[in-house]
Amino acid sequence: MKIDRRSFLGLGLGAAAGVALSPVGVKLTDDSSIWTQNWPWTPVPEDGKITYDRSVCSLCPGACGISVKKINGRPVKIEGLDDYPINNGGACPHGISGLQYLYDPARIKTPLKKNGNKFEKISWDEAISLVAQKLGEIRKSGTPESLGLITGADSGSMAQLFERFMDAFGSPNTYNMPSLESNLALTAAALHGADRNLGFDLDHSDFILSFGAAIIEGWGSPVACIQANASRRERKAKLVQVDYRLSNTANAADKIIAVKPGTEADLALGICAVLLAKNLIAGDVNTSAFAAMLAKEYTPEKVEAITGVKAADMEALAMEFIKAKAPVAVPGKGRGDVGQSLREFAAVQALNALADRLNKKGGVFVMYPADYLSFSENVMDDAAKQGASKAKLAGSVNELVDKLEKDGGLSALFIYNANPCYALNNPEKVKVAMDKVGFKVSFSSFMDETALRSDVVLPASIFLERLEDVVSGGGLAKTVVGLCRPMVKPIFDTKHPGDALILLAQAMGDSIAQSFSWNSYDACLEQVTGKIWDTLSGDGYVVIDDKPPVGTPATDFTFLASAPKAAVPMGEGDYTLVPVDKMRLAVGSMISSPFAVKIISDKVLSGKYSVVEINPATAGILKDGDIAVLKTAMGKALVKIGFNEGIMPGVIGMPRGLGHAFNNPYVAGKGVNVNDLIGPVIEPGSGLDAAFGIKATLSKA
Amino acid sequence: MSELENKANDGPEDGAHHGTDNGPKDDKGLGLGVIFFMGAFLVCFLSGWLLFPKLLYSKKEQPFNFDHKLHAEETGDCETCHFFREDGTFSGIPGLQACMECHTDEPMGESEDEAVFVEEYVAKGKEVPWLIYAKQPDCVFFSHAAHTVAGGMDCKTCHGHIGESSSSRPYEENRITGYSRDIWGKNIWGIKKNSWDRMKMDDCAECHLEKMGHKGYCFQCHK
Amino acid sequence: MVIDLDKCTGCGACMVSCMSENNVPFKEDESDKKLSITWMRVYKLTNGKSFPEAEIVYLPRPCQHCGGIGDHGHSPCVSVCPATATDYGYDTGIVSQIYTRCFGCRYCMGACPYHARHFNWWDPKWPEGMENYLSPNVSPRMRGVVEKCSFCYHRYQLAREQAIVEDREIEEKEYQTACTTACPAGAIVFGDLNNPAHKVHQIVKPDPHPDPMNHKVVGKSRNPKVFRLLERLGTNPKVYYMSDREWVRKAGDNYLKGEWENVKTHHGASSSHG
């Protein structure tokens, strides 16, 4: 008997039939199909108990209450907090993407020390002793005033802690980064008296005259303002936007008053002149020198020549403003932080004063800052008393940059919640100025442009990892103190900047240590918030005040009566380049998150190019979509042209917030930093950088 | 195979000689093929039934034995450990915290299993890595509330008599899919006798069809 | 859902909230918007005029959850899916998308008139550590799979669980999509279109009968300010838009000369119609 082909065939067929009729076929098919749906490289988030925790967002001065959804204690979503008096459940794209800041591997994970060109990781003990040692040397050399501080914190316990340190150390050289808050404080000081601030009661106004303020694009407390705008239809409240381009706010407004960029103050003064001439002002406002100046310099014809607004239109606007039941004028182009002048803010505030809108419902509140913190007496030794009483090196942070760049003057610098090497105009000069400072300590959470140039980094935990008081500000009419609470323990080896400061102070010993005798920042906060701590920690917020302040403050028009001059865009060129604020692009010390960068329109960021808006009427040979060379007295950059009918001819609008230069491919290396192209123009008297724009040329690349 | 070889040797001559005989040679050739066929068939068929499951599933043991019967007697019900949270979600398999409501660093009984639990997990604060028989893929959203509360179903219907067991049965893991054998069912054919024998999507659909007249919309059970 | 286009500021909070809620990934370069996955996308439309008559409207566009012609559940995407990875839920009117069934043929993307569907050309990749914020309520996808807005269905699932355990109905405020809760201006209103107690019904007042002028269309709004995108196609979307401005309502479709006049004055039938 031979085993031949047929038997093998039989064997094969038998096997096949056996397998086919066995469960193997069915089971393997099912198993394989399941296997194809196993995607082991795809994360499977762990499930668990859902809890909601409340905190306050600290990314921008808006101070919105947030609710953080957690799964088994792991934060997975941030939303607005419904019962929070500032934002009433609303949130902005940046706050919602807060978790991206928390978990970003680009965060600075440990303290760092600069070694040549690179950073090396060090422990907190090493870092604190290194900084304490360097600062100790400065004190020993008898020049404690050569320690400087550039801070972005305008209020709250952290701002006061840093000031306390500077005092105990013996230096007066604290400089605040420009912000709407500080601009408003400066205005209130110039017109009404020191130690005051301004709050705009937009929710109750029936006629909002906004001088370029990006009310629904990030001005002030963004969500609160968006909500004030959203309720206008029901409240029958009118919004008139003074603007040089069709911003989103201008688009939402009932009427647009087109003005040449940088002439908003002139229009405000022109309206003041109309009201004074027609004697429609509040009776008890002392205005003689001011009135005389206005009658001379701000006749309707003169204003028309400056701003481009027809005399008749301006008069009609003035009449509409004064006849409204509860009008209010709002200052601050765009977000109202940089490129602003005291002249402009004062002019708009003068209009509010003349129209008797001070401390009235729906008007502007002249407020005292929230006084809920009580620190014990600072312990200052003789060296500290002497140093702290010396004159400051400069009047403002921009003037400081000037001074440092020319002559130096600081031997050490703290940078907290600020990014001057990006956010100030002419960052190159800022970098040179900073290089003149021997020892720089950054408290940044991310390796931004300024941290890159520091000598030591004491990385701060971000707000989701911190306990801290967050005060409302930025032009909000109500005063609310919220408690930002930690949602998780610090993910990396970072510390609350308050703790870092306390450790540093204690390492320095003597009077400085005595001034900082708390065990921790958390203990300090509980102590200094004294009376309100129980409510603050229980409810999560305390409404200090939400009513118009009692009485009408006096207004001193001296500053305006001296007819301060407007800032003139420097340089030469056919165009005026003006930075444009976009809601989706963060500015200042905040860097846009990957989600925020993702939602930037391709008409704002096209590939790697910033898109500049120009009116097709003045585009010359340039076409929509062309790559062009944008040149100013400060430098040049490649940009993409985007035609926009809605921008005044002869003006180039360039988005702020792009062009970050550090190692993070998700959010940096895209577009151009418009600050690189604009040079500061210091306003005499206020020290503000009033450069709202600069002359520019465009040529095809 | 020797059985078959014998058959081949004893069988009729193969049908290789075409040209010479016109007799029943084809039957003889086919016969051998048929026998091979039947043999191979039987072997493969039986392997599929008996050997294949042994190869397909790897047997794993739980980290230590868990006595459900004992705990059910101690607590009186299933809900003490397997409960609905306030928001309606199901707590599932209790975490270490839940066990530690009763168990501390000191063993409560004398079993070796509890000793393991106390030493390796309670003392170290480590979560017990239970192997979950009923684990469904990530794409599945199963609402215990909808089934046990709204549907009035009993735990046993899907999970069997686990509450009455004194020991944890081994966890047989499908080597290809990574899921428990309980999903397809112990029977390699996928034939079930009791409702708790299987937990595939068509089992859910079958019950839905019977109880609600409709297999259900995708989003009801998936995410 | 009804979106008030006069309140929308174009801030994009809805876009970010949706991405955060639904484990949507992000790439290093998101400037090519054809490839950028944003379940909710805010479009910017203009009235085509020159300054100072120029006007802008921002239009948020989630998946429209179409009911298909006659509102019988034959959404354009559902009708073409060869794998039944997408299906119409008759209980909720929501079109589901099940990632494990989808094999990425993208037929649905071609069928959708609203560009509401997005394809994962690449595997989603989160920077190290960022996977920690992913939500277990939504399945993360792999490459080769289409994804789209689900009206935050997982929130409905969770709300139902609570309602079942407490033996009651779901309240209007318990099931709200992520975009709705995020919108700072309150421009988005979400709820049950068929429930007269819900705000969305009160604003939209959908006509349950087919439009006598176009039988494909069901649920046309009786509110003259409310319209749907490409309404005449008969996709019968669940997302309505509202605006005081006529040019915005006109922007909801491509109208040939003279067509707008007919549509402008014809709103959902009043109860006197058959």
Side-chain angles (χ1 to χ4, degrees):
Chain A
M1 192 227 33
K2 240 201 301 186
I3 298 171
D4 71 345
R5 212 179 25 218
R6 283 221 179 106
S7 12
F8 275 118
L9 217 59
L11 201 70
L13 284 174
V19 169
L21 290 175
S22 80
V24 172
V26 181
K27 189 72 179 84
L28 278 185
T29 310
D30 189 80
D31 284 347
S32 315
S33 57
I34 303 280
W35 176 83
T36 62
Q37 300 314 304
N38 286 348
W39 308 325
W41 62 92
T42 305
V44 176
E46 215 185 274
D47 206 347
K49 182 164 180 204
I50 301 173
T51 50
Y52 292 91
D53 216 344
R54 58 184 298 151
S55 184
V56 178
C57 179
S58 316
L59 287 171
C60 91
C64 297
I66 53 171
S67 166
V68 179
K69 175 178 169 183
K70 297 180 180 177
I71 305 275
N72 274 349
R74 174 176 63 92
V76 294
K77 182 86 199 288
I78 294 178
E79 298 199 303
L81 191 54
D82 282 333
D83 68 350
Y84 202 77
I86 293 178
N87 55 316
N88 303 300
C92 84
H94 303 286
I96 297 174
S97 57
L99 295 178
Q100 293 199 314
Y101 293 105
L102 177 66
Y103 291 115
D104 196 338
R107 274 182 66 187
I108 303 176
K109 302 188 176 92
T110 67
L112 300 170
K113 178 177 98 171
K114 196 73 145 316
N115 198 351
N117 247 348
K118 285 192 147 37
F119 278 107
E120 62 176 49
K121 298 191 182 141
I122 53 175
S123 70
W124 271 99
D125 285 335
E126 279 178 71
I128 296 289
S129 10
L130 174 60
V131 178
Q133 186 212 350
K134 280 272 194 258
L135 292 185
E137 283 166 20
I138 293 173
R139 274 205 122 219
K140 267 201 220 79
S141 72
T143 53
E145 66 277 7
S146 66
L147 168 67
L149 164 67
I150 296 181
T151 174
D154 289 309
S155 55
S157 61
M158 276 313 299
Q160 293 206 20
L161 267 177
F162 266 101
E163 250 198 74
R164 191 179 177 85
F165 187 92
M166 294 296 277
D167 273 345
F169 189 84
S171 170
N173 283 307
T174 299
Y175 300 92
N176 283 59
M177 289 291 283
S179 68
L180 177 63
E181 173 96 2
S182 55
N183 292 342
L184 290 172
L186 207 63
T187 312
L191 264 53
H192 306 296
D195 262 347
R196 260 164 272 209
N197 215 321
L198 303 177
F200 296 82
D201 192 14
L202 303 177
D203 284 321
H204 299 109
S205 170
D206 71 339
F207 189 95
I208 303 170
L209 178 55
S210 158
F211 284 84
I215 293 184
I216 59 169
E217 296 158 275
W219 185 94
S221 183
V223 175
C225 290
I226 289 176
Q227 290 178 344
N229 176 66
S231 67
R232 275 191 312 113
R233 195 166 54 200
E234 286 94 78
R235 294 189 287 127
K236 296 195 175 45
K238 206 166 171 189
L239 169 67
V240 174
Q241 178 81 352
V242 175
D243 220 324
Y244 66 92
R245 68 182 269 277
L246 184 65
S247 61
N248 290 343
T249 310
N251 180 63
D254 297 287
K255 186 154 69 175
I256 305 169
I257 307 283
V259 289
K260 297 192 192 124
T263 63
E264 293 83 1
D266 302 282
L267 181 66
L269 290 169
I271 296 174
C272 288
V274 169
L275 294 179
L276 276 161
K278 292 193 197 276
N279 204 14
L280 290 167
I281 60 159
D284 55 351
V285 181
N286 183 353
T287 56
S288 42
F290 181 46
M293 187 280 292
L294 285 177
K296 193 161 149 239
E297 307 290 341
Y298 290 92
T299 60
E301 296 72 35
K302 282 199 172 151
V303 175
E304 181 170 341
I306 299 170
T307 64
V309 179
K310 289 204 182 55
D313 291 337
M314 185 183 71
E315 290 192 28
L317 178 61
M319 296 309 293
E320 217 185 335
F321 185 76
I322 201 74
K323 286 212 166 76
K325 277 205 255 340
V328 70
V330 180
K333 297 184 293 291
R335 281 204 165 96
D337 49 1
V338 295
Q340 315 290 336
S341 63
L342 176 59
R343 175 176 173 266
E344 186 183 324
F345 272 66
V348 175
Q349 183 61 0
L351 177 54
N352 281 319
L354 291 179
D356 194 20
R357 300 305 304 144
L358 304 179
N359 291 352
K360 300 279 191 307
K361 192 167 172 189
V364 54
F365 299 176
V366 182
M367 313 157 27
Y368 284 95
D371 183 26
Y372 62 99
L373 292 170
S374 48
F375 280 82
S376 61
E377 189 84 32
N378 207 356
V379 180
M380 291 171 73
D381 60 15
D382 288 327
K385 286 203 191 95
Q386 211 184 36
S389 59
K390 290 220 168 93
K392 277 172 82 159
L393 208 56
S396 68
V397 69
N398 283 290
E399 291 166 303
L400 175 73
V401 169
D402 250 346
K403 191 97 198 346
L404 287 175
E405 193 236 4
K406 282 199 203 79
D407 318 311
L410 287 179
S411 52
L413 186 62
F414 279 171
I415 306 115
Y416 172 65
N417 206 10
N419 191 4
C421 293
Y422 170 86
L424 292 178
N425 279 332
N426 197 357
E428 281 312 305
K429 185 171 175 188
V430 180
K431 289 174 189 163
V432 170
M434 280 200 51
D435 285 344
K436 292 241 163 93
V437 179
F439 185 64
K440 300 175 284 291
V441 180
S442 164
F443 290 81
S444 180
S445 306
F446 288 91
M447 191 53 79
D448 58 28
E449 289 86 350
T450 307
L452 275 168
R453 296 192 103 79
S454 307
D455 299 293
V456 175
V457 181
L458 302 174
S461 304
I462 73 159
F463 72 99
L464 291 166
E465 301 164 320
R466 280 151 71 157
L467 185 75
E468 195 165 323
D469 54 323
V470 181
V471 202
S472 59
L476 211 59
K478 47 171 97 109
T479 308
V480 179
V481 180
L483 188 65
C484 171
R485 297 166 60 247
M487 297 293 103
V488 280
K489 286 207 183 47
I491 309 268
F492 304 112
D493 187 16
T494 58
K495 279 200 198 297
H496 194 301
D499 282 322
L501 212 54
I502 290 172
L503 285 171
L504 182 60
Q506 288 173 355
M508 297 206 59
D510 302 323
S511 54
I512 303 177
Q514 285 167 34
S515 293
F516 281 75
S517 57
W518 303 282
N519 280 332
S520 66
Y521 171 82
D522 287 7
C524 163
L525 183 64
E526 188 175 338
Q527 186 198 79
V528 302
T529 48
K531 291 180 272 122
I532 66 165
W533 173 252
D534 282 331
T535 318
L536 193 61
S537 51
D539 292 347
Y541 67 92
V542 175
V543 178
I544 306 272
D545 205 345
D546 59 358
K547 306 258 179 321
V550 177
T552 309
T555 309
D556 182 359
F557 294 96
T558 317
F559 172 71
L560 287 169
S562 63
K565 292 263 185 314
V568 177
M570 56 151 110
E572 294 189 343
D574 300 320
Y575 297 94
T576 307
L577 168 67
V578 185
V580 173
D581 277 311
K582 300 268 177 205
M583 183 67 203
R584 302 180 193 181
L585 274 167
V587 293
S589 63
M590 178 169 47
I591 304 166
S592 297
S593 66
F595 273 157
V597 172
K598 180 172 179 178
I599 62 170
I600 296 171
S601 159
D602 53 3
K603 297 272 191 294
V604 172
L605 173 68
S606 175
K608 287 268 193 293
Y609 293 104
S610 286
V611 178
V612 299
E613 301 171 12
I614 60 171
N615 193 308
T618 49
I621 56 153
L622 291 165
K623 285 195 277 304
D624 195 23
D626 278 349
I627 307 293
V629 178
L630 174 61
K631 193 152 168 246
T632 70
M634 290 288 120
K636 59 181 193 236
L638 284 175
V639 295
K640 194 175 241 191
I641 301 293
F643 276 4
N644 183 2
E645 289 277 0
I647 193 167
M648 201 164 254
V651 181
I652 303 173
M654 188 162 167
R656 278 178 73 202
L658 289 171
H660 274 288
F662 47 77
N663 190 12
N664 186 340
Y666 291 96
V667 302
K670 300 172 200 289
V672 171
N673 181 4
V674 63
N675 299 334
D676 280 331
L677 297 169
I678 303 182
V681 174
I682 311 286
E683 180 185 36
S686 69
L688 293 178
D689 172 8
F692 63 87
I694 191 170
K695 287 292 184 197
T697 60
L698 272 177
S699 52
K700 198 148 177 186
Chain B
M1 270 320 257
S2 52
E3 208 180 64
L4 292 161
E5 282 172 0
N6 290 338
K7 275 198 182 151
N9 285 333
D10 295 340
E13 282 193 335
D14 65 4
H17 311 289
H18 296 279
T20 42
D21 286 341
N22 280 325
K25 67 176 178 320
D26 281 1
D27 289 344
K28 286 191 196 149
L30 213 58
L32 190 63
V34 166
I35 287 163
F36 267 105
F37 177 91
M38 278 166 33
F41 179 87
L42 225 67
V43 169
C44 289
F45 187 69
L46 288 173
S47 303
W49 206 320
L50 304 168
L51 187 63
F52 175 57
K54 287 206 171 60
L55 295 172
L56 184 61
Y57 294 109
S58 68
K59 253 198 177 99
K60 291 186 173 161
E61 291 292 336
Q62 297 289 353
F64 54 87
N65 185 52
F66 182 78
D67 190 338
H68 258 107
K69 190 150 170 233
L70 174 72
H71 284 83
E73 280 165 17
E74 290 289 319
T75 60
D77 58 18
C78 312
E79 279 77 31
T80 311
C81 302
H82 305 289
F83 53 89
F84 284 103
R85 303 190 190 104
E86 262 179 50
D87 61 0
T89 55
F90 192 65
S91 64
I93 302 217
L96 188 65
Q97 273 306 109
C99 304
M100 282 173 71
E101 300 216 348
C102 297
H103 286 273
T104 58
D105 283 21
E106 296 301 311
M108 290 168 79
E110 276 143 24
S111 67
E112 211 196 290
D113 298 300
E114 196 194 348
V116 170
F117 174 54
V118 166
E119 281 162 38
E120 296 294 318
Y121 301 100
V122 178
K124 296 184 185 171
K126 205 169 95 172
E127 287 291 338
V128 183
W130 297 113
L131 299 162
I132 304 172
Y133 305 109
K135 189 162 181 73
Q136 294 286 337
D138 182 50
C139 60
V140 172
F141 168 80
F142 183 78
S143 167
H144 275 92
H147 293 84
T148 63
V149 179
M153 288 170 78
D154 190 32
C155 311
K156 291 194 208 44
T157 313
C158 301
H159 294 288
H161 296 273
I162 191 165
E164 296 154 33
S165 66
S166 302
S167 60
S168 317
R169 54 190 166 83
Y171 176 84
E172 295 184 77
E173 187 188 80
N174 184 316
R175 288 181 214 268
I176 299 176
T177 67
Y179 290 97
S180 163
R181 189 172 183 170
D182 296 72
I183 304 296
W184 174 266
K186 187 126 177 120
N187 182 299
I188 195 66
W189 280 107
I191 299 172
K192 66 183 185 196
K193 272 198 297 242
N194 310 298
S195 59
W196 55 81
D197 286 338
R198 273 186 116 228
M199 223 186 226
K200 296 275 290 172
M201 188 172 96
D202 18 298
D203 299 296
C204 303
E206 198 186 316
C207 190
H208 268 245
L209 186 60
E210 193 191 313
K211 296 275 191 322
M212 321 223 302
H214 187 261
K215 281 194 195 165
Y217 301 110
C218 304
F219 257 169
Q220 282 179 333
C221 313
H222 285 282
K223 57 175 164 85
Chain C
M1 180 182 280
V2 61
I3 303 180
D4 188 339
L5 298 177
D6 297 332
K7 284 193 176 155
C8 176
T9 65
C11 71
C14 54
M15 291 174 75
V16 174
S17 184
C18 169
M19 292 196 286
S20 175
E21 178 88 15
N22 294 293
N23 301 341
V24 178
F26 51 91
K27 308 194 290 289
E28 288 175 12
D29 182 6
E30 292 279 4
S31 53
D32 187 344
K33 300 303 176 186
K34 291 191 299 295
L35 303 175
S36 187
I37 302 179
T38 47
W39 294 9
M40 167 65 101
R41 174 163 296 180
V42 178
Y43 289 96
K44 182 178 178 179
L45 305 164
T46 63
N47 64 350
K49 296 210 172 80
S50 301
F51 191 76
E53 280 90 43
E55 273 186 55
I56 304 168
V57 72
Y58 287 98
L59 191 141
R61 187 240 59 225
C63 166
Q64 309 281 301
H65 294 278
C66 305
I69 291 181
D71 210 18
H72 296 305
H74 302 295
S75 331
C77 55
V78 172
S79 307
V80 300
C81 178
T84 323
T86 182
D87 204 13
Y88 188 77
Y90 287 91
D91 54 344
T92 53
I94 291 176
V95 177
S96 61
Q97 178 73 18
I98 307 304
Y99 311 116
T100 38
R101 261 183 114 110
C102 174
F103 52 76
C105 72
R106 300 170 61 231
Y107 199 166
C108 58
M109 289 173 71
C112 175
Y114 304 106
H115 295 275
R117 289 170 160 276
H118 308 274
F119 188 64
N120 284 285
W121 290 101
W122 300 274
D123 272 316
K125 190 176 68 131
W126 284 269
E128 193 192 329
M130 283 226 209
E131 332 79 45
N132 282 313
Y133 73 59
L134 296 178
S135 161
N137 302 130
V138 181
S139 272
R141 285 68 71 184
M142 69 163 269
R143 65 181 183 278
V145 157
V146 172
E147 57 187 65
K148 71 168 188 71
C149 154
S150 61
F151 267 4
C152 285
Y153 199 88
H154 55 280
R155 289 187 173 200
Y156 178 57
Q157 290 171 333
L158 291 170
R160 269 187 79 209
E161 286 208 305
Q162 177 148 24
I164 287 172
V165 159
E166 293 176 11
D167 196 20
R168 57 171 176 78
E169 297 296 315
I170 299 181
E171 284 167 44
E172 184 179 7
K173 62 177 163 71
E174 287 183 321
Y175 170 39
Q176 292 292 313
T177 60
C179 50
T180 309
T181 52
C183 179
I188 306 181
V189 176
F190 181 80
D192 185 352
L193 280 166
N194 292 332
N195 187 337
H198 281 209
K199 215 164 132 205
V200 69
H201 176 98
Q202 288 156 9
I203 296 174
V204 172
K205 297 191 268 279
D207 182 359
H209 310 290
D211 182 3
M213 279 177 52
N214 180 351
H215 289 272
K216 292 191 281 197
V217 175
V218 178
K220 190 162 179 168
S221 173
R222 294 189 186 114
N223 182 336
K225 302 222 172 107
V226 174
F227 66 100
R228 290 184 286 188
L229 295 178
L230 303 177
E231 189 145 24
R232 300 176 299 165
L233 282 180
T235 47
N236 293 309
K238 304 287 179 314
V239 180
Y240 293 77
Y241 294 88
M242 182 161 78
S243 177
D244 284 342
R245 296 171 278 178
E246 189 185 324
W247 75 266
V248 172
R249 296 197 293 274
K250 194 171 172 194
D253 202 342
N254 301 305
Y255 293 101
L256 299 175
K257 230 186 168 88
E259 284 184 327
W260 171 244
E261 291 310 311
N262 267 344
V263 176
K264 179 160 93 157
T265 50
H266 180 87
H267 309 294
S270 65
S271 51
S272 59
H273 277 255

